[in-house]
């Protein structure tokens, strides 16, 4: 039997929720609620487009120029975003994960980042997906099984679906009071600024996204009494999708999936990516986790129907 391009497939079902997980990149390939898409799916035999649904490790977003220094030693990562000259979305996006647990409503996948050029550390990554009546739960656990302290960050990369049509017609609720301003050409970080200075990205009061372009990290996130932040996208019929997480992810990247000239992907979903650290954290050190040998770090989030 030929393995699909996205890897081995795992179907998880609980009540009205159904998730399709692919082993390459520990990827959320599809998620539905009563047959309604909550994330933009792709076919099992497709090469995953636009990092759709992948697990990001050992960093989310970009490392500028692929360069950073740790322990006084300069490191140079491969430039996996060549058009902008950055190292993008970690080292496991195209890695095959082994399965540790496979159940009707749960799968646990594992991969190891081996020491390599630009990241001379050994980190075991365990990804759990589970569905229940509250939606799809994902957790990512990193364990440093090497001999040196390792920089670490993670996050997911789902494109939420707010109903029929495109991003422009959906209402966004994003309870963030600060935004990381970036350069327009390479999206390199510049400075964190108050959202009041950028009303086009202020969705603290939910309203339609319209034609605004977003590819920015947000922070200073409002949380409920349980310490959880929620972002929601809702269509004109009042249905949509949401994602929730706790204080272990003080950042969230939001992207309107702009791909002009490629109508099949252009603004068809809203990427909402809770992150343990901001873009280029290997250089800034902001919210960067340093895993000592033997240490573990876990973060998680939940996607649900609205």
């Amino acid at each position: 039997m030929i393995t699909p391009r996205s890897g081995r497939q795992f179907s998880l079902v609980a009540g009205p929720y159904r998730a399709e997980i692919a082993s390459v990149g520990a990827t959320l390939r599809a998620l539905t609620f009563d047959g309604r898409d909550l994330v933009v799916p792709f076919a099992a035999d497709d090469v995953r487009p636009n990092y759709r649904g992948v697990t990001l490790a050992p960093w989310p977003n970009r490392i500028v120029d692929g360069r950073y220094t740790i322990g006084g030693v300069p490191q140079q990562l491969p430039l996996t975003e060549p058009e902008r000259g950055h190292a993008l979305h970690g080292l496991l996006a195209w890695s095959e994960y082994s399965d540790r647990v496979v159940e009707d409503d749960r799968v646990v996948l594992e991969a190891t980042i081996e020491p390599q050029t630009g990241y001379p550390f050994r980190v075991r990554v365990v990804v759990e997906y589970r569905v229940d009546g509250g939606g799809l739960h994902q957790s990512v656990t990193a364990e440093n099984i090497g001999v040196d302290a390792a920089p670490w960050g993670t996050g997911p990369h789902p494109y939420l679906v707010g109903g029929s049509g495109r991003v422009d017609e959906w209402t966004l609720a994003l309870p963030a009071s600060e935004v990381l301003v970036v350069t327009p050409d390479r999206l390199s970080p510049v400075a964190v600024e108050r959202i009041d200075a950028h009303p086009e990205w202020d969705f603290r009061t939910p309203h339609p996204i319209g034609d605004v372009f977003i590819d920015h990290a947000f922070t200073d996130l409002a949380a409920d009494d349980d310490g959880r932040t929620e972002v929601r996208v809702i269509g004109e019929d009042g249905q949509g999708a949401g994602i929730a997480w706790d204080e272990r992810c003080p950042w969230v990247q939001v992207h309107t999936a702009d791909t002009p000239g490629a109508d099949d992907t252009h603004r068809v979903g809203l990427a909402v990516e809770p992150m343990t650290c901001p873009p280029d954290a290997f250089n800034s050190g902001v919210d960067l986790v340093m895993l000592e040998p033997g240490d573990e770090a876990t973060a998680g989030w939940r996607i649900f129907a609205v």
Side-chain angles (χ1 to χ4, degrees):
M1 184 176 179
I2 297 175
T3 302
R5 289 184 175 89
S6 65
R8 292 168 299 117
Q9 305 295 305
F10 306 93
S11 296
L12 311 181
V13 180
Y17 286 97
R18 183 182 184 93
E20 302 291 341
I21 310 301
S23 60
V24 173
T27 296
L28 173 62
R29 191 175 60 75
L31 176 64
T32 59
F33 176 84
D34 277 339
R36 170 169 63 92
D37 284 326
L38 300 182
V39 301
V40 181
F42 67 96
D45 204 36
D46 286 350
V47 175
R48 183 189 55 238
N50 307 119
Y51 288 90
R52 197 178 292 174
V54 73
T55 298
L56 310 176
W59 71 85
N61 209 271
R62 297 165 176 86
I63 296 177
V64 173
D65 299 321
R67 297 174 183 165
Y68 67 102
T69 297
I70 189 163
V73 180
Q75 302 290 344
Q76 176 65 66
L77 290 154
L79 301 183
T80 50
E81 192 182 28
E83 66 274 19
R84 293 193 176 106
H86 301 318
L88 186 65
H89 288 333
L91 298 170
L92 289 179
W94 303 106
S95 295
E96 170 73 5
Y97 282 68
S98 62
D99 51 281
R100 286 176 31 173
V101 178
V102 179
E103 299 172 343
D104 290 343
D105 59 356
R106 174 174 174 255
V107 64
V108 180
L109 304 174
E110 178 183 311
T112 297
I113 304 169
E114 296 293 351
Q116 58 196 273
T117 299
Y119 194 82
F121 313 103
R122 180 173 284 119
V123 177
R124 178 185 294 127
V125 180
V126 177
V127 178
E128 178 179 6
Y129 285 101
R130 176 176 55 86
V131 289
D132 61 17
L136 173 79
H137 306 257
Q138 182 184 5
S139 67
V140 181
T141 299
E143 179 188 3
N144 185 345
I145 56 174
V147 296
D148 300 305
W152 168 260
T154 191
H157 205 288
Y159 285 81
L160 300 186
V161 173
S164 60
R166 297 182 185 262
V167 164
D168 308 57
E169 296 137 30
W170 303 340
T171 291
L172 172 61
L174 173 62
S177 294
E178 293 184 339
V179 60
L180 179 60
V181 177
V182 295
T183 61
D185 52 351
R186 301 180 64 204
L187 303 183
S188 302
V190 176
V192 174
E193 299 182 1
R194 298 298 296 174
I195 202 71
D196 303 289
H198 301 278
E200 69 274 23
W201 300 320
D202 186 355
F203 291 90
R204 290 174 294 183
T205 299
H207 63 272
I209 296 170
D211 62 359
V212 66
F213 167 80
I214 312 172
D215 196 357
H216 296 79
F218 297 82
T219 191
D220 193 7
L221 305 173
D224 62 20
D225 292 341
D226 294 323
R228 295 197 169 271
T229 295
E230 286 191 4
V231 172
R232 299 184 177 211
V233 285
I234 301 173
E236 294 178 346
D237 63 357
Q239 296 184 326
I243 185 168
W245 64 92
D246 64 21
E247 68 280 355
R248 291 173 293 182
C249 292
W251 296 83
V252 60
Q253 182 81 14
V254 178
H255 179 33
T256 42
D258 298 75
T259 56
D263 193 61
D264 58 333
T265 59
H266 183 57
R267 297 176 75 88
V268 298
L270 186 74
V272 182
E273 311 159 39
M275 303 184 297
T276 59
C277 59
D280 204 32
F282 278 26
N283 283 301
S284 71
V286 174
D287 292 322
L288 182 65
V289 174
M290 287 300 299
L291 283 174
E292 296 294 332
D295 281 358
E296 293 186 356
T298 299
W301 35 85
R302 174 177 64 95
I303 302 176
F304 54 92
V306 176

